[in-house]
Structures are given as structure tokens and as C-alpha cells.
Amino acid sequence: MTPLIRMQNLRKRHTRGDHEFSLHVPELDLYKGQTSVFQGASGCGKSTLFDMIGLISKPDSADEFKIGGLESPVDVRHSPESLRTFLRSRIIGYVLQHAGLIPSLTVRENILLPFRVDGEPPDLCRMENLSARLGISDHLRKKPAHLSGGQLQRAAIARALIRRPSVILADEPTGQLDIFTAEEVRDLLLAVAREENAALLIVTHDPDLFQSVADRRFGFDYRKIGKGYQSVLREFSTSSLRS
């Protein structure tokens, strides 16, 4: 099976004050239908990695970095910004920690926003089906201020999925929720992603919440080197996921 995302010997460096931070990804293959969890302390490189997977930033170097979802995989290392922008809108969906809904728009308008940004007619049938599956059909005319935390995240999930992305990036999607609502949102996100056969990538500070449902789990070996810090991605063994 061809990986949806493939990285080999990828490196990214940037400066934090007087210190240099470097992230190294020796190898990373991600597949459709898989749920992968990335955990680690603040500053370990989770957001840096997600920004590269989300095509917001480029690596400084990589032996290979390809992303699928179209007719053939795209070599991200050499792709122009116009193609990266197209890929972001068509194959990548984002679920943010704070939902990220626009306060002045209704829930319906927020969900359909990706079509508006691209200047395309909205897929109303898709919006209605997603809203029903996520249990927010009765809230579509409301503004975000009138929704609970769980309802906001459901709306954010609907917006992330509206264009049928191949990759769903969820950055602390349950970080602002109580444990009961967090479990509910987690289960909905996983269920819909699996139904859509999308690769679900989750960044979390609460690995216990996702450990029993993750297909794969990753961490970072983080250490000080001279005046800088180096972080290396590593995958936990399959047996440790289910223990």
C-alpha cells in the first residue's frame, strides 16, 4: 500500500532567542484510514512537524517528502507555492484546539467557509449530512458564541471535513474540554475520519485519552546540544499502544 504521506531524513531548523532548535524526522509513513497520535512537551517540535505536514512551512532538507491525495503523489520539496495552496485547500482539513470559528458567521456559514474562500458553490448536501452525523443540525443558524465547547468542536470537525480531505490534522482537539465532552468529541472525530477513510493525525498533551484508540503513536527524543536543542521523532512500539 502506498503511503499517503512519506518523509525520509527530514530536517527543520529555526532560532529561538539565542538558541537554535532542530527537528529531525528519520522516517515517517502515514496511511489512509489510520489514526496517528503525536505527543510531547511544549517546544518538542509537534507544531513544527504539523506545519510541514500541513504545507504551511517547508523543511530545510529532506531525502524524500511526498504527499498523496491526488492522482499521483506530489514531491513537496520542489512544489511551487500555488500547488501547495491548492493541496492545503483540497486534501488537508484542520481541527484546532479553540475550534477557530469566525464569531460573526453562523455555524452553517463557518462550515461552508472553505467553499467561499475558494470561490466555489457550496456543497449543501454534504454540509447537511455532516451536521446530522455530528449532531449539530439544530445549531446551524446560531453564532459560535451561543454554542457549548463540545458543539464548537463538532462544528470545527464539520468544517475540516467539508471538502473530503485525505488528511485531517487535529491540534489538541479536546484540550479545552472536560473529560466527558473530550471523550465524546474524540469518538466522533475518530468515527467520522474512519468512515471517510482519511488519515487522522492528532497532536495532544493527553496521550491517555487517545492511547487505546490510536493505530500508531509517536513521541520526540528531546535533548540539549551545545547552545541549542535537537528533537528526533520516534514511534512507540505497537505493543506499548495496547498495554
Side-chain angles (χ1 to χ4, degrees):
M1 182 167 57
T2 302
L4 182 63
I5 296 172
R6 180 167 178 77
M7 295 179 172
Q8 281 194 321
N9 197 26
L10 180 146
R11 296 179 185 274
K12 180 71 173 180
R13 301 175 182 84
H14 56 80
T15 301
R16 293 177 175 174
D18 296 329
H19 300 284
E20 181 182 90
F21 171 81
S22 65
L23 172 66
H24 181 209
V25 180
E27 185 174 26
L28 180 62
D29 289 339
L30 300 173
Y31 298 87
K32 281 189 174 184
Q34 279 190 345
T35 296
S36 301
V37 173
F38 296 80
Q39 65 188 70
S42 297
C44 69
K46 301 187 303 295
S47 296
T48 299
L49 178 58
F50 255 42
D51 283 348
M52 287 187 289
I53 294 174
L55 305 180
I56 295 171
S57 68
K58 285 186 175 182
D60 294 320
S61 63
D63 290 346
E64 189 173 10
F65 183 9
K66 292 182 179 180
I67 187 166
L70 300 178
E71 292 183 0
S72 59
V74 174
D75 188 338
V76 176
R77 298 172 302 169
H78 309 300
S79 59
E81 183 57 35
S82 58
L83 178 56
R84 293 163 63 84
T85 299
F86 177 80
L87 290 171
R88 281 197 299 268
S89 68
R90 296 307 176 107
I91 69 170
I92 297 173
Y94 295 88
V95 182
L96 304 176
Q97 180 177 356
H98 299 283
L101 302 186
I102 297 177
S104 60
L105 301 181
T106 64
V107 171
R108 179 182 185 276
E109 291 168 336
N110 269 286
I111 294 173
L112 294 173
L113 187 60
F115 293 106
R116 180 178 172 182
V117 170
D118 289 338
E120 297 182 358
D123 188 339
L124 299 180
C125 182
R126 171 75 169 167
M127 186 271 298
E128 291 170 359
N129 288 337
L130 278 174
S131 300
R133 287 158 70 186
L134 292 165
I136 54 173
S137 296
D138 294 337
H139 305 288
L140 294 176
R141 295 184 178 181
K142 296 179 181 178
K143 298 287 182 67
H146 300 287
L147 270 60
S148 68
Q151 290 164 349
L152 286 170
Q153 286 303 79
R154 290 170 185 236
I157 293 170
R159 183 179 61 185
L161 290 168
I162 193 69
R163 297 297 295 266
R164 294 183 170 86
S166 301
V167 182
I168 303 169
L169 302 180
D171 189 357
E172 295 285 356
T174 60
Q176 299 297 309
L177 306 176
D178 63 75
I179 183 59
F180 301 107
T181 307
E183 290 177 350
E184 183 181 75
V185 169
R186 174 202 64 189
D187 293 344
L188 277 170
L189 178 58
L190 266 66
V192 177
R194 285 170 180 162
E195 289 171 18
E196 300 282 329
N197 194 33
L200 175 59
L201 282 58
I202 301 170
V203 159
T204 182
H205 284 97
D206 185 10
D208 291 341
L209 182 64
F210 294 95
Q211 179 166 310
S212 63
V213 297
D215 296 306
R216 301 172 71 186
R217 187 160 57 94
F218 299 86
F220 297 82
D221 291 329
Y222 187 64
R223 59 176 177 162
K224 183 175 176 61
I225 300 178
K227 292 185 177 181
Y229 295 86
Q230 182 184 62
S231 186
V232 180
L233 182 74
R234 67 182 178 93
E235 182 172 4
F236 293 96
S237 66
T238 303
S239 60
S240 69
L241 287 177
R242 309 302 180 187
S243 60

